[in-house]
Amino acid sequence: MKEYIIRLVYIEMLGHDASFGYIHAVKMTHDDSLYLKRTGYLAVTLFLNEDHDLIILIVNTIQKDLKSDNYLVVCAALNACCKLINEETIPAVVQQVVDLLGHAKEAVRKKAVMVLHRFFQKSPGSVNHLVSNFPKRLSDNDPGVMGATLFPLYDLITIDVNPYKDLVASFVNILKQVAERRLPKTYDYHQTPAPFIQIKLLKILALLGSGDKKSSEQMYTVIGDIMRKSDTASNIGNAILYECICCISSIQPSPKLLETAADAIANFLKSDSHNLKYMGIDALGRLIQISPDIAEQHQLAVIDCLEDPDDTLKRKTFELLYKMTKSSNVEVIVDRMIDYMISINDNHYKTETASRCVELAEQFAPSNHWFIQTMNKVFQHAGDLVNPKVAHNLMRLIAEGFGEDDDTADSQLRMSAVESYLKIVDEPKLPSAFLQVICWVLGEYGTADGKYSASYISGKLCDVAEAHSSDDTVKAYAVTALMKVYCFEKAAGRKTTLLPECQSLLEELSASHSADLQQRAYEFRAILDLDANAIENIMPLDASCEDIEIDTSLSFLDNYVQKAIEQGAEPYIPENERSGTLNISKIRNHNAYEISTHSLRFEAYEVPKPVVPAKIPSTVTYPTDLVPVTATISEPSYQPSVQPTWPLVPVSDAGSALGSTELKLRLDGVQKKWGKPTYSSGASSSSTSNFELDRNTVNGATKPDTAISKPREPRQSHVEVSEEKQKLAASLFGGTTSRSERKQSGKVSRTTNHGEDKVQSATVTVPITTAAQAQPHPPDLLDLGEPVGYTSSYSSTVDPFKQLEGLLDLSQDVNATAAGTSNGPDLMSLYSDADTNGNSNQNLNPVNGSVNPSKKPALLTKGPSLKDALDKDALVRQMGVNPTGQNPNLFSDLLG
Amino acid sequence: MIHFVLLISRQGKVRLTKWYSPYTQKERSKVIRELSGTILSRGPKLCNFVEWRGFKVVYKRYASLYFCMCINQEDNELEVLEIIHHYVEILDRYFGSVCELDLIFNFHKAYYILDEVLIAGELQESSKKTVARLVATQDSLVEAAKEEANSISNIIAQATK
């Protein structure tokens, strides 16, 4: 039987399925004879995973064997414990394992410690009360047990350093003893005393000493001793040296140790062995974070490694370069990285390299032109692996240019982008994200300086849409771009005729299965029928960068509310103040509506198609903003005005007139609000509208891409910093450098980056949270009697932050998105079916936080407080809030 | 921590596998295929580390056998290299100048030794002597048990005659 089981193990090892024999292996563990039992355990540990069904049959045997008198049986059972006991069965054996910590045999104690360590890894909760056992075992007589105890301690210290600070002295003591060869000779390995224990101890010390001056000082002598003693000829000696360097770079720096570490690194890099070179590069990467100038003397070695045929070494060197990039050498490094990225075909590392290229380019780009070219390359070769956010950044950069008043430079930049894209666009295989950028840029700026005719650009765009017929997003971008091109033409008073291929594309899309594409196609047609004046209003030239203001207090409704009250309507009572005076069913209805809003919001968040989210927010925000007004004035039309708005949301509605019916239905609600019954439909209305909001919405909705068009000030600041630095620092490859300032610039950009990330993550959560938050808050939002309800006392704090505004772009971005989406519905309702407001909100991130935008900052509360405050402030101001000081507590409450 | 140990022959045949992190059978064969592809094709002078799916694989070649261990990004590669060597030395001592055939025919013994060297993905014993002693006692006990079993069965056989 034993032979069979062993054969089964072999079969399984070769990758065949041997599950039919598992049960026999389990049975064998029940056997009394140690000989068979051991084989049984071996087979079981190799066969079964911890969640296998048969485990339950083994737990009992393990329990019995842990109690056995024969320590070899106990050892076998402990071995099995490591592999087979899962979270649920830990309580069944944990007590016995703890008892074994006091076993007479050191082999058993050692295994028991390791088993507890394993349990701790699997479910820290179940053994938390036993943690105190580990430090006790540290003083075990047997060095093996002591060595084993270091593993769980290392894990514990990684999780939380503080409770173990007092152990620093004993760790240092042990390390000293080990280094002085106090341990038995058998622990020597190649004449090095217990190297594995030394390495583990150094790792623990690195954790304990990081950022702690007092503890670090205790370690300096012993680390210095070890480094001096270590044998650089053997592998294990180098392993210890490397660990020392890691430790030195992690603890509070000591100049003397840094020097020795630098020497050791120099030896590593000079060595012929690739292994040591690899370790040297890695160690260098750690050390330059503390003392940036040591890399200088190793330039040649680093470049050698970069050209090495060994892929692993190359990759490691790129990692090092990534760490030491600064504005002066970024071009060389990023070019190299892109070349490397093109050469590899492993998706995992391709993605990583691409994202690093993008990150470096964003941080240190010497010029916008270079940045665009670099991004083009990255997109071309790894487009689908890059974060979509990057594409939006690129569009924003092109839209914003230098952000200053330098218009000629901007238009040159745009023209160069347009030209490069026109060259690239015909290539057969381009990633979707890149095509989106191309379409957007061509649509926005393709005809801007008159170099290319509209028909040329639109022909190209049609080609794109045709060539990528399976990609709806690209098609949508292309159609919107076409729309823009024709609108600009018409607005400029030139005569336009649709190209035949454009016509056929439109026809095809009008019958498309995608409601999004369909709507765009219909919008396109409708907008072409308008006169030039109207088009100019809808599609102002180059307005993608304009800010959008939102009148959150809905002050434009004041007149109407006033009129209604004069006519005898009840004034609006905030929800928390009404007490059953209002029709209960209405409130309930309102609530029910809000609940449905939530579910819709989730949809909007999850569907990645650009336009669908843009539409859903529109229906979502609209009622929350406006409908309750009608409700309080007890308009009988409350229900009709609400209900039609949202059944139309489903995208699956294949009816051709989706957009127009939706708008029409909503119109009656709007009419009442504005108190203009004649304000029904048609193109004329768009040109005659003179509400304040109209202006805004025209901007907001027709330029749906505003989301990506916020000032790129942070980049500006980098460029400035880097230019200063260029004087100081020649390139890494140029020779003499002073890297001292690199750190600083790195820091600046890091923080920005960090902030960006944070905001990004915040935006992701916004839809859900705002939805949840909207409910308790309608009173504030809707109280039209007090239009100043939305004010804050932030004006006083604004000024000091103004200089630092550069940090804020993304948070403003979030806002812009919010603004764009929230304005959408109003416009739609205003322009009724003639409206082609370009629901083309390409923003993939439907941050429809406009229900209660001021809530958003609350999500940003983590992190450095100053930055935070800046974010919040920017948000607040971006929302167009008038700081009047009348309601000082509202925002401070919200912003925490 | 060590995620798995692999022994591959130069022809890409698997000689021993030990998984310390959970992998399904499918993943296992995929891992082995991927790694043997990358490792076996590497030249002799290159470094003994391969970065792979965010992990690092440390390998070392002894005659026709490749010993591979997969470790975390932050682990010390040189140390792992020495753990491999440590294991090989113990095998060598146990089998007396170990060769691939020893491992093929006595692979379960190689497993027992590995269990004494590594446990739950960590090095548990860095003293060769201790490991050797433990394995030896186990073996002698097993032998004794075997003889006992034989003698009992003999007695039974005689009694039932």
Side-chain angles (χ1 to χ4, degrees), chain A residues 13 35 38 72 110 118 151 189-190 243 274-275 310 312, chain B residues 20 42 45 47-49 76 82 89 125 138 141-142:
Chain A
M13 189 174 79
Y35 172 65
R38 216 160 63 118
L72 291 174
K110 185 176 66 193
R118 186 65 167 180
F151 292 100
Y189 178 88
H190 293 234
E243 206 54 60
H274 275 82
N275 288 345
D310 188 344
T312 315
Chain B
Y20 294 106
R42 282 175 70 86
K45 278 224 143 178
C47 67
N48 295 55
F49 321 125
N76 184 337
E82 291 312 298
E89 278 185 4
E125 185 54 73
Q138 283 176 8
L141 255 177
V142 166

PDB file of all heavy atoms in Angstrom, chain A residues 13 35 38 72 110 118 151 189-190 243 274-275 310 312, chain B residues 20 42 45 47-49 76 82 89 125 138 141-142:
ATOM      1  N   MET A  13       2.660  14.705  -8.825  1.00  0.00           N
ATOM      2  CA  MET A  13       3.732  15.682  -9.025  1.00  0.00           C
ATOM      3  C   MET A  13       3.934  15.953 -10.497  1.00  0.00           C
ATOM      4  O   MET A  13       4.246  17.066 -10.904  1.00  0.00           O
ATOM      5  CB  MET A  13       5.010  15.127  -8.412  1.00  0.00           C
ATOM      6  CG  MET A  13       6.144  16.094  -8.350  1.00  0.00           C
ATOM      7  SD  MET A  13       7.481  15.346  -7.451  1.00  0.00           S
ATOM      8  CE  MET A  13       8.191  14.297  -8.679  1.00  0.00           C
ATOM      9  N   TYR A  35       5.656   4.120  10.442  1.00  0.00           N
ATOM     10  CA  TYR A  35       6.161   3.976   9.100  1.00  0.00           C
ATOM     11  C   TYR A  35       5.104   4.357   8.069  1.00  0.00           C
ATOM     12  O   TYR A  35       5.332   5.163   7.156  1.00  0.00           O
ATOM     13  CB  TYR A  35       6.584   2.510   8.985  1.00  0.00           C
ATOM     14  CG  TYR A  35       6.968   2.036   7.646  1.00  0.00           C
ATOM     15  CD1 TYR A  35       8.093   2.538   7.002  1.00  0.00           C
ATOM     16  CD2 TYR A  35       6.232   1.027   7.014  1.00  0.00           C
ATOM     17  CE1 TYR A  35       8.458   2.048   5.770  1.00  0.00           C
ATOM     18  CE2 TYR A  35       6.603   0.533   5.787  1.00  0.00           C
ATOM     19  CZ  TYR A  35       7.708   1.059   5.166  1.00  0.00           C
ATOM     20  OH  TYR A  35       8.065   0.583   3.957  1.00  0.00           O
ATOM     21  N   ARG A  38       3.660   8.135   8.578  1.00  0.00           N
ATOM     22  CA  ARG A  38       4.482   9.190   8.027  1.00  0.00           C
ATOM     23  C   ARG A  38       4.247   9.324   6.526  1.00  0.00           C
ATOM     24  O   ARG A  38       4.123  10.427   5.994  1.00  0.00           O
ATOM     25  CB  ARG A  38       5.959   8.884   8.304  1.00  0.00           C
ATOM     26  CG  ARG A  38       6.779  10.116   8.585  1.00  0.00           C
ATOM     27  CD  ARG A  38       8.054   9.749   9.301  1.00  0.00           C
ATOM     28  NE  ARG A  38       8.884   8.902   8.475  1.00  0.00           N
ATOM     29  CZ  ARG A  38      10.103   9.240   8.056  1.00  0.00           C
ATOM     30  NH1 ARG A  38      10.610  10.410   8.380  1.00  0.00           N
ATOM     31  NH2 ARG A  38      10.821   8.431   7.336  1.00  0.00           N
ATOM     32  N   LEU A  72       8.410  11.686  17.262  1.00  0.00           N
ATOM     33  CA  LEU A  72       8.437  11.699  15.802  1.00  0.00           C
ATOM     34  C   LEU A  72       7.024  11.765  15.230  1.00  0.00           C
ATOM     35  O   LEU A  72       6.775  12.425  14.229  1.00  0.00           O
ATOM     36  CB  LEU A  72       9.157  10.458  15.297  1.00  0.00           C
ATOM     37  CG  LEU A  72      10.648  10.478  15.594  1.00  0.00           C
ATOM     38  CD1 LEU A  72      11.277   9.159  15.195  1.00  0.00           C
ATOM     39  CD2 LEU A  72      11.324  11.618  14.854  1.00  0.00           C
ATOM     40  N   LYS A 110      10.393  23.710  18.225  1.00  0.00           N
ATOM     41  CA  LYS A 110      10.650  24.521  17.044  1.00  0.00           C
ATOM     42  C   LYS A 110       9.481  24.442  16.072  1.00  0.00           C
ATOM     43  O   LYS A 110       8.990  25.454  15.567  1.00  0.00           O
ATOM     44  CB  LYS A 110      11.921  23.975  16.387  1.00  0.00           C
ATOM     45  CG  LYS A 110      12.430  24.719  15.223  1.00  0.00           C
ATOM     46  CD  LYS A 110      13.731  24.096  14.769  1.00  0.00           C
ATOM     47  CE  LYS A 110      13.494  22.687  14.247  1.00  0.00           C
ATOM     48  NZ  LYS A 110      14.734  21.927  14.086  1.00  0.00           N
ATOM     49  N   ARG A 118       2.349  29.958  11.394  1.00  0.00           N
ATOM     50  CA  ARG A 118       1.487  29.698  10.255  1.00  0.00           C
ATOM     51  C   ARG A 118       0.035  30.060  10.586  1.00  0.00           C
ATOM     52  O   ARG A 118      -0.664  30.677   9.790  1.00  0.00           O
ATOM     53  CB  ARG A 118       1.604  28.226   9.864  1.00  0.00           C
ATOM     54  CG  ARG A 118       0.868  27.859   8.620  1.00  0.00           C
ATOM     55  CD  ARG A 118       1.478  28.562   7.442  1.00  0.00           C
ATOM     56  NE  ARG A 118       0.995  28.021   6.188  1.00  0.00           N
ATOM     57  CZ  ARG A 118       1.386  28.473   5.008  1.00  0.00           C
ATOM     58  NH1 ARG A 118       2.234  29.461   4.951  1.00  0.00           N
ATOM     59  NH2 ARG A 118       0.930  27.955   3.907  1.00  0.00           N
ATOM     60  N   PHE A 151      10.845  34.254  13.053  1.00  0.00           N
ATOM     61  CA  PHE A 151       9.914  34.415  11.934  1.00  0.00           C
ATOM     62  C   PHE A 151       8.596  35.026  12.380  1.00  0.00           C
ATOM     63  O   PHE A 151       8.164  36.028  11.817  1.00  0.00           O
ATOM     64  CB  PHE A 151       9.701  33.084  11.224  1.00  0.00           C
ATOM     65  CG  PHE A 151      10.934  32.602  10.511  1.00  0.00           C
ATOM     66  CD1 PHE A 151      11.748  31.644  11.063  1.00  0.00           C
ATOM     67  CD2 PHE A 151      11.285  33.140   9.281  1.00  0.00           C
ATOM     68  CE1 PHE A 151      12.893  31.217  10.413  1.00  0.00           C
ATOM     69  CE2 PHE A 151      12.428  32.721   8.623  1.00  0.00           C
ATOM     70  CZ  PHE A 151      13.232  31.764   9.190  1.00  0.00           C
ATOM     71  N   TYR A 189      27.857  28.025   8.840  1.00  0.00           N
ATOM     72  CA  TYR A 189      27.602  27.656   7.463  1.00  0.00           C
ATOM     73  C   TYR A 189      28.701  28.278   6.639  1.00  0.00           C
ATOM     74  O   TYR A 189      28.834  29.499   6.592  1.00  0.00           O
ATOM     75  CB  TYR A 189      26.226  28.190   7.042  1.00  0.00           C
ATOM     76  CG  TYR A 189      25.861  27.924   5.623  1.00  0.00           C
ATOM     77  CD1 TYR A 189      25.227  26.747   5.267  1.00  0.00           C
ATOM     78  CD2 TYR A 189      26.164  28.843   4.636  1.00  0.00           C
ATOM     79  CE1 TYR A 189      24.896  26.493   3.954  1.00  0.00           C
ATOM     80  CE2 TYR A 189      25.847  28.602   3.327  1.00  0.00           C
ATOM     81  CZ  TYR A 189      25.210  27.423   2.995  1.00  0.00           C
ATOM     82  OH  TYR A 189      24.890  27.176   1.691  1.00  0.00           O
ATOM     83  N   HIS A 190      29.532  27.449   6.064  1.00  0.00           N
ATOM     84  CA  HIS A 190      30.678  27.932   5.294  1.00  0.00           C
ATOM     85  C   HIS A 190      31.506  28.925   6.121  1.00  0.00           C
ATOM     86  O   HIS A 190      31.773  30.041   5.684  1.00  0.00           O
ATOM     87  CB  HIS A 190      30.227  28.595   3.991  1.00  0.00           C
ATOM     88  CG  HIS A 190      29.622  27.610   3.048  1.00  0.00           C
ATOM     89  ND1 HIS A 190      30.044  27.443   1.758  1.00  0.00           N
ATOM     90  CD2 HIS A 190      28.626  26.720   3.210  1.00  0.00           C
ATOM     91  CE1 HIS A 190      29.330  26.496   1.175  1.00  0.00           C
ATOM     92  NE2 HIS A 190      28.468  26.047   2.035  1.00  0.00           N
ATOM     93  N   GLU A 243      22.092  42.449   3.464  1.00  0.00           N
ATOM     94  CA  GLU A 243      21.068  42.680   4.476  1.00  0.00           C
ATOM     95  C   GLU A 243      21.459  43.855   5.377  1.00  0.00           C
ATOM     96  O   GLU A 243      20.612  44.632   5.807  1.00  0.00           O
ATOM     97  CB  GLU A 243      20.876  41.398   5.293  1.00  0.00           C
ATOM     98  CG  GLU A 243      19.517  41.252   5.907  1.00  0.00           C
ATOM     99  CD  GLU A 243      18.384  41.363   4.897  1.00  0.00           C
ATOM    100  OE1 GLU A 243      18.350  40.542   3.968  1.00  0.00           O
ATOM    101  OE2 GLU A 243      17.543  42.249   5.043  1.00  0.00           O
ATOM    102  N   HIS A 274      27.009  38.150 -11.834  1.00  0.00           N
ATOM    103  CA  HIS A 274      25.766  38.863 -12.105  1.00  0.00           C
ATOM    104  C   HIS A 274      24.897  38.957 -10.869  1.00  0.00           C
ATOM    105  O   HIS A 274      24.188  39.935 -10.685  1.00  0.00           O
ATOM    106  CB  HIS A 274      24.998  38.169 -13.224  1.00  0.00           C
ATOM    107  CG  HIS A 274      25.430  38.605 -14.567  1.00  0.00           C
ATOM    108  ND1 HIS A 274      26.530  38.086 -15.192  1.00  0.00           N
ATOM    109  CD2 HIS A 274      24.933  39.536 -15.401  1.00  0.00           C
ATOM    110  CE1 HIS A 274      26.672  38.674 -16.366  1.00  0.00           C
ATOM    111  NE2 HIS A 274      25.720  39.557 -16.515  1.00  0.00           N
ATOM    112  N   ASN A 275      24.962  37.914 -10.058  1.00  0.00           N
ATOM    113  CA  ASN A 275      24.165  37.942  -8.842  1.00  0.00           C
ATOM    114  C   ASN A 275      24.524  39.143  -7.985  1.00  0.00           C
ATOM    115  O   ASN A 275      23.665  39.856  -7.498  1.00  0.00           O
ATOM    116  CB  ASN A 275      24.412  36.686  -8.011  1.00  0.00           C
ATOM    117  CG  ASN A 275      23.788  35.481  -8.638  1.00  0.00           C
ATOM    118  OD1 ASN A 275      22.957  35.642  -9.524  1.00  0.00           O
ATOM    119  ND2 ASN A 275      24.172  34.321  -8.192  1.00  0.00           N
ATOM    120  N   ASP A 310      21.400  40.188 -19.726  1.00  0.00           N
ATOM    121  CA  ASP A 310      20.551  39.526 -18.734  1.00  0.00           C
ATOM    122  C   ASP A 310      19.305  40.367 -18.462  1.00  0.00           C
ATOM    123  O   ASP A 310      19.378  41.504 -18.021  1.00  0.00           O
ATOM    124  CB  ASP A 310      21.364  39.363 -17.445  1.00  0.00           C
ATOM    125  CG  ASP A 310      20.611  38.514 -16.442  1.00  0.00           C
ATOM    126  OD1 ASP A 310      19.407  38.332 -16.630  1.00  0.00           O
ATOM    127  OD2 ASP A 310      21.255  38.045 -15.493  1.00  0.00           O
ATOM    128  N   THR A 312      16.875  40.039 -16.274  1.00  0.00           N
ATOM    129  CA  THR A 312      16.572  40.363 -14.884  1.00  0.00           C
ATOM    130  C   THR A 312      17.363  41.570 -14.415  1.00  0.00           C
ATOM    131  O   THR A 312      16.833  42.477 -13.768  1.00  0.00           O
ATOM    132  CB  THR A 312      16.943  39.175 -13.983  1.00  0.00           C
ATOM    133  OG1 THR A 312      16.477  37.993 -14.589  1.00  0.00           O
ATOM    134  CG2 THR A 312      16.364  39.327 -12.623  1.00  0.00           C
TER     135      THR A 312
ATOM    136  N   TYR B  20       3.940  25.874  -0.798  1.00  0.00           N
ATOM    137  CA  TYR B  20       3.639  26.417   0.526  1.00  0.00           C
ATOM    138  C   TYR B  20       2.475  27.409   0.478  1.00  0.00           C
ATOM    139  O   TYR B  20       1.934  27.763   1.506  1.00  0.00           O
ATOM    140  CB  TYR B  20       4.879  27.068   1.123  1.00  0.00           C
ATOM    141  CG  TYR B  20       5.956  26.055   1.409  1.00  0.00           C
ATOM    142  CD1 TYR B  20       7.084  25.955   0.617  1.00  0.00           C
ATOM    143  CD2 TYR B  20       5.806  25.159   2.463  1.00  0.00           C
ATOM    144  CE1 TYR B  20       8.049  25.002   0.862  1.00  0.00           C
ATOM    145  CE2 TYR B  20       6.775  24.205   2.715  1.00  0.00           C
ATOM    146  CZ  TYR B  20       7.887  24.137   1.910  1.00  0.00           C
ATOM    147  OH  TYR B  20       8.835  23.182   2.165  1.00  0.00           O
ATOM    148  N   ARG B  42      17.816  30.197 -19.793  1.00  0.00           N
ATOM    149  CA  ARG B  42      18.778  31.229 -19.397  1.00  0.00           C
ATOM    150  C   ARG B  42      20.206  30.716 -19.494  1.00  0.00           C
ATOM    151  O   ARG B  42      20.489  29.566 -19.187  1.00  0.00           O
ATOM    152  CB  ARG B  42      18.490  31.692 -17.969  1.00  0.00           C
ATOM    153  CG  ARG B  42      17.323  32.647 -17.896  1.00  0.00           C
ATOM    154  CD  ARG B  42      17.005  32.985 -16.486  1.00  0.00           C
ATOM    155  NE  ARG B  42      18.027  33.806 -15.870  1.00  0.00           N
ATOM    156  CZ  ARG B  42      18.067  35.131 -15.961  1.00  0.00           C
ATOM    157  NH1 ARG B  42      17.145  35.754 -16.642  1.00  0.00           N
ATOM    158  NH2 ARG B  42      19.012  35.812 -15.370  1.00  0.00           N
ATOM    159  N   LYS B  45      25.881  32.291 -17.537  1.00  0.00           N
ATOM    160  CA  LYS B  45      26.583  33.379 -16.845  1.00  0.00           C
ATOM    161  C   LYS B  45      25.640  34.411 -16.242  1.00  0.00           C
ATOM    162  O   LYS B  45      26.074  35.326 -15.560  1.00  0.00           O
ATOM    163  CB  LYS B  45      27.536  34.060 -17.828  1.00  0.00           C
ATOM    164  CG  LYS B  45      28.856  33.326 -17.975  1.00  0.00           C
ATOM    165  CD  LYS B  45      29.992  34.321 -17.956  1.00  0.00           C
ATOM    166  CE  LYS B  45      31.208  33.783 -17.242  1.00  0.00           C
ATOM    167  NZ  LYS B  45      32.308  34.743 -17.292  1.00  0.00           N
ATOM    168  N   CYS B  47      22.455  36.040 -14.011  1.00  0.00           N
ATOM    169  CA  CYS B  47      22.240  35.926 -12.570  1.00  0.00           C
ATOM    170  C   CYS B  47      21.135  34.922 -12.259  1.00  0.00           C
ATOM    171  O   CYS B  47      20.325  34.586 -13.119  1.00  0.00           O
ATOM    172  CB  CYS B  47      21.959  37.286 -11.951  1.00  0.00           C
ATOM    173  SG  CYS B  47      20.438  38.033 -12.445  1.00  0.00           S
ATOM    174  N   ASN B  48      21.138  34.442 -11.051  1.00  0.00           N
ATOM    175  CA  ASN B  48      20.286  33.322 -10.677  1.00  0.00           C
ATOM    176  C   ASN B  48      18.887  33.753 -10.243  1.00  0.00           C
ATOM    177  O   ASN B  48      18.228  33.018  -9.528  1.00  0.00           O
ATOM    178  CB  ASN B  48      20.920  32.551  -9.520  1.00  0.00           C
ATOM    179  CG  ASN B  48      22.214  31.907  -9.915  1.00  0.00           C
ATOM    180  OD1 ASN B  48      23.106  32.580 -10.394  1.00  0.00           O
ATOM    181  ND2 ASN B  48      22.310  30.612  -9.754  1.00  0.00           N
ATOM    182  N   PHE B  49      18.489  34.938 -10.611  1.00  0.00           N
ATOM    183  CA  PHE B  49      17.180  35.408 -10.168  1.00  0.00           C
ATOM    184  C   PHE B  49      16.334  35.745 -11.391  1.00  0.00           C
ATOM    185  O   PHE B  49      16.836  36.274 -12.370  1.00  0.00           O
ATOM    186  CB  PHE B  49      17.311  36.661  -9.303  1.00  0.00           C
ATOM    187  CG  PHE B  49      18.480  36.618  -8.367  1.00  0.00           C
ATOM    188  CD1 PHE B  49      19.426  37.621  -8.370  1.00  0.00           C
ATOM    189  CD2 PHE B  49      18.636  35.548  -7.496  1.00  0.00           C
ATOM    190  CE1 PHE B  49      20.509  37.573  -7.522  1.00  0.00           C
ATOM    191  CE2 PHE B  49      19.722  35.499  -6.642  1.00  0.00           C
ATOM    192  CZ  PHE B  49      20.662  36.513  -6.654  1.00  0.00           C
ATOM    193  N   ASN B  76      15.562  38.367   0.598  1.00  0.00           N
ATOM    194  CA  ASN B  76      16.976  38.447   0.244  1.00  0.00           C
ATOM    195  C   ASN B  76      17.334  37.278  -0.673  1.00  0.00           C
ATOM    196  O   ASN B  76      17.345  36.118  -0.256  1.00  0.00           O
ATOM    197  CB  ASN B  76      17.779  38.404   1.543  1.00  0.00           C
ATOM    198  CG  ASN B  76      19.248  38.571   1.332  1.00  0.00           C
ATOM    199  OD1 ASN B  76      19.763  38.302   0.252  1.00  0.00           O
ATOM    200  ND2 ASN B  76      19.936  39.015   2.362  1.00  0.00           N
ATOM    201  N   GLU B  82      21.439  30.467  -0.755  1.00  0.00           N
ATOM    202  CA  GLU B  82      22.160  29.656   0.219  1.00  0.00           C
ATOM    203  C   GLU B  82      21.253  28.619   0.865  1.00  0.00           C
ATOM    204  O   GLU B  82      21.726  27.552   1.249  1.00  0.00           O
ATOM    205  CB  GLU B  82      22.788  30.544   1.290  1.00  0.00           C
ATOM    206  CG  GLU B  82      23.928  31.378   0.757  1.00  0.00           C
ATOM    207  CD  GLU B  82      24.916  30.558  -0.056  1.00  0.00           C
ATOM    208  OE1 GLU B  82      25.521  29.641   0.510  1.00  0.00           O
ATOM    209  OE2 GLU B  82      25.064  30.823  -1.264  1.00  0.00           O
ATOM    210  N   GLU B  89      23.261  20.375   0.318  1.00  0.00           N
ATOM    211  CA  GLU B  89      24.318  19.779   1.135  1.00  0.00           C
ATOM    212  C   GLU B  89      23.771  18.693   2.041  1.00  0.00           C
ATOM    213  O   GLU B  89      24.400  17.651   2.240  1.00  0.00           O
ATOM    214  CB  GLU B  89      24.996  20.866   1.978  1.00  0.00           C
ATOM    215  CG  GLU B  89      26.042  21.632   1.201  1.00  0.00           C
ATOM    216  CD  GLU B  89      26.786  22.615   2.072  1.00  0.00           C
ATOM    217  OE1 GLU B  89      26.525  22.641   3.292  1.00  0.00           O
ATOM    218  OE2 GLU B  89      27.627  23.351   1.540  1.00  0.00           O
ATOM    219  N   GLU B 125      15.442  25.089  10.173  1.00  0.00           N
ATOM    220  CA  GLU B 125      16.632  24.602  10.854  1.00  0.00           C
ATOM    221  C   GLU B 125      17.847  24.883   9.999  1.00  0.00           C
ATOM    222  O   GLU B 125      17.933  24.471   8.860  1.00  0.00           O
ATOM    223  CB  GLU B 125      16.499  23.086  11.099  1.00  0.00           C
ATOM    224  CG  GLU B 125      17.611  22.499  11.906  1.00  0.00           C
ATOM    225  CD  GLU B 125      17.791  23.229  13.235  1.00  0.00           C
ATOM    226  OE1 GLU B 125      16.948  23.039  14.120  1.00  0.00           O
ATOM    227  OE2 GLU B 125      18.774  23.997  13.371  1.00  0.00           O
ATOM    228  N   GLN B 138      14.325   9.095  12.550  1.00  0.00           N
ATOM    229  CA  GLN B 138      13.069   8.694  11.929  1.00  0.00           C
ATOM    230  C   GLN B 138      13.264   7.426  11.124  1.00  0.00           C
ATOM    231  O   GLN B 138      12.483   6.480  11.216  1.00  0.00           O
ATOM    232  CB  GLN B 138      12.560   9.818  11.022  1.00  0.00           C
ATOM    233  CG  GLN B 138      11.930  10.949  11.806  1.00  0.00           C
ATOM    234  CD  GLN B 138      11.533  12.088  10.905  1.00  0.00           C
ATOM    235  OE1 GLN B 138      11.602  11.973   9.698  1.00  0.00           O
ATOM    236  NE2 GLN B 138      11.136  13.179  11.513  1.00  0.00           N
ATOM    237  N   LEU B 141      13.728   4.398  13.325  1.00  0.00           N
ATOM    238  CA  LEU B 141      12.459   3.989  13.924  1.00  0.00           C
ATOM    239  C   LEU B 141      11.608   3.246  12.912  1.00  0.00           C
ATOM    240  O   LEU B 141      10.979   2.228  13.218  1.00  0.00           O
ATOM    241  CB  LEU B 141      11.704   5.221  14.410  1.00  0.00           C
ATOM    242  CG  LEU B 141      11.700   5.465  15.902  1.00  0.00           C
ATOM    243  CD1 LEU B 141      10.988   6.744  16.224  1.00  0.00           C
ATOM    244  CD2 LEU B 141      11.041   4.286  16.620  1.00  0.00           C
ATOM    245  N   VAL B 142      11.612   3.805  11.715  1.00  0.00           N
ATOM    246  CA  VAL B 142      10.834   3.181  10.658  1.00  0.00           C
ATOM    247  C   VAL B 142      11.347   1.775  10.396  1.00  0.00           C
ATOM    248  O   VAL B 142      10.582   0.817  10.253  1.00  0.00           O
ATOM    249  CB  VAL B 142      10.887   4.048   9.385  1.00  0.00           C
ATOM    250  CG1 VAL B 142      10.383   3.269   8.196  1.00  0.00           C
ATOM    251  CG2 VAL B 142      10.081   5.308   9.600  1.00  0.00           C
TER     252      VAL B 142
END
